[in-house]
Amino acid sequence: MPTARDPAVELQHALLSRLKLRQLSLLQAIDRHRTLSRVAAEMQLSQPAITKALHEVEDIFGSTLFERSSRGLVPTAAGDAVLHYARRWLAELEATTRVLTSLEAGRSGRLRLGLTQQVPQQLMSAALTHLLDRSPRISVMVREGTTDELVAGLVARELDCAIGRSYDGDASGLVQEAIHEQEPCLVVGAKNVKRLSRGPLDWARLAQLDWILPPPNTPMRRTYNAIFVGAGVQPPLPILETTAIRSIETVLRQEPNAITIFARDVLAGMEPAGHWAALPYRLSWNLPPVSFFTLKELEAHPTVRSLRGAVVETARRMKRSAG
């Protein structure tokens, strides 16, 4: 009696027996360049050879992965799904090679850490000191970015853990723990503090200034927009959208009406430069908490677990000291 056919099992068998890693690299190259001629030039192959290779990959997956359009070759729905996992598989392979290289160099492993620019100096120092003072030593890769960028890096398996603002989006397998509360303050160029702090706190007046805000659709931008809306004021159109500290400092120093919002403890670590300072207002809300992020599959990893413990303990000491 014939058995029921399971397409998923058949596809899995085809992938295990026929799919090669270089074919995943080919798909990424096509997605990057969107024309086979450019892919052929990058891979130093003929265009017919690239066309044949793409047809072989599509035959393995049993689906058309790219279709021609006015914008060149664009992924189909199946192509998007395959590319999503191809990026993860290749990122995991790259991570494995880095770990093996670290082991061969006498290190005990490698950790990829993400940080936002508004992580307090004490937490950043605690994390890096904990990692770099380990014996035997490990290799550490640090990437800075917004919380959204760091979460994307975690999901893509390009990072092992991160310290950033709490994340309000949907990310499969993400584990986050709030570890530190921060008080916000309004920050302007140091020479402009007296002029811009006249009178009581007035969000309508502040909205008329030249704002430096995080990029659109980031957790912090959504928070700041909500503050203006809650005060009955239209969120301002910023003159600069960035989280880059040096860019923020430059504009605050040069523009007489420039203003932004910073965590007070982060600002305290930067004030000796003398280029910016907080306005003398106390805000009635807190910033989204600083959080420790990793993936469910990595939270029991010894290095990730010990780093989390060191960062959480440092955050507790900071809270006791502030109290």
Side-chain angles (χ1 to χ4, degrees):
M1 184 175 179
T3 58
R5 175 176 171 270
D6 188 337
V9 172
E10 293 179 0
L11 177 56
Q12 183 179 11
H13 176 73
L15 297 180
L16 290 172
S17 60
R18 299 174 59 193
L19 187 64
K20 299 178 177 62
L21 288 173
R22 66 172 180 270
Q23 292 170 318
L24 299 181
S25 295
L26 169 68
L27 296 180
Q28 280 199 318
I30 295 172
D31 185 47
R32 185 167 60 251
H33 293 296
R34 299 300 171 99
T35 68
L36 296 183
S37 59
R38 291 179 183 173
V39 175
E42 177 185 304
M43 295 189 163
Q44 298 183 335
L45 295 170
S46 67
Q47 186 167 332
I50 295 296
T51 301
K52 179 181 178 183
L54 174 58
H55 289 161
E56 289 175 352
V57 180
E58 291 182 323
D59 182 63
I60 292 171
F61 281 99
S63 299
T64 300
L65 303 181
F66 291 90
E67 57 188 7
R68 296 190 179 279
S69 75
S70 58
R71 294 177 288 122
L73 290 169
V74 296
T76 62
D80 276 330
V82 170
L83 284 165
H84 172 74
Y85 287 102
R87 295 185 193 103
R88 289 177 52 177
W89 292 332
L90 293 172
E92 293 282 14
L93 179 63
E94 192 271 343
T96 302
T97 61
R98 297 289 184 180
V99 170
L100 292 175
T101 302
S102 297
L103 293 173
E104 290 173 1
R107 302 285 193 259
S108 63
R110 185 172 186 260
L111 186 109
R112 302 165 299 170
L113 173 65
L115 295 169
T116 63
Q117 293 226 7
Q118 290 214 26
V119 170
Q121 184 63 46
Q122 284 180 264
L123 284 181
M124 187 185 304
S125 297
L128 294 177
T129 299
H130 176 79
L131 292 172
L132 297 177
D133 284 357
R134 291 172 65 91
S135 181
R137 304 190 76 179
I138 69 170
S139 296
V140 180
M141 186 277 283
V142 174
R143 178 192 296 178
E144 291 190 352
T146 65
T147 295
D148 285 0
E149 290 168 345
L150 298 183
V151 169
L154 284 165
V155 173
R157 304 319 195 257
E158 297 168 356
L159 294 172
D160 301 308
C161 52
I163 306 172
R165 297 287 181 201
S166 61
Y167 181 70
D168 58 4
D170 182 26
S172 177
L174 184 70
V175 177
Q176 63 175 311
E177 177 184 0
I179 60 174
H180 178 64
E181 295 285 348
Q182 287 181 305
E183 178 189 354
C185 60
L186 297 166
V187 179
V188 299
K191 62 185 178 182
N192 304 314
V193 170
K194 184 176 181 180
R195 175 175 56 85
L196 296 178
S197 61
R198 293 172 184 152
L201 177 63
D202 182 351
W203 286 99
R205 176 177 66 87
L206 291 174
Q208 303 306 311
L209 298 178
D210 295 328
W211 277 87
I212 305 169
L213 294 174
N217 299 317
T218 58
M220 292 311 305
R221 182 64 173 272
R222 292 191 287 270
T223 296
Y224 296 159
N225 284 347
I227 297 303
F228 280 101
V229 171
V233 178
Q234 178 70 22
L237 181 66
I239 61 168
L240 178 68
E241 295 174 300
T242 186
T243 58
I245 299 294
R246 292 178 63 186
S247 296
I248 293 172
E249 181 181 12
T250 298
V251 174
L252 287 174
R253 187 168 64 246
Q254 294 179 350
E255 297 295 327
N257 291 321
I259 185 171
T260 191
I261 299 175
F262 249 83
R264 195 174 292 276
D265 55 6
V266 172
L267 179 66
M270 300 176 178
E271 281 182 343
H275 298 310
W276 46 7
L279 295 179
Y281 300 118
R282 288 286 174 175
L283 305 181
S284 61
W285 45 275
N286 279 335
L287 294 165
V290 175
S291 301
F292 186 86
F293 298 87
T294 189
L295 296 173
K296 185 69 177 176
E297 65 201 61
L298 291 175
E299 65 176 334
H301 188 283
T303 305
V304 173
R305 189 173 65 244
S306 65
L307 174 61
R308 174 201 161 277
V311 171
V312 168
E313 180 54 34
T314 299
R316 288 173 180 160
R317 289 199 301 269
M318 292 169 63
K319 183 177 181 179
R320 289 195 296 266
S321 176

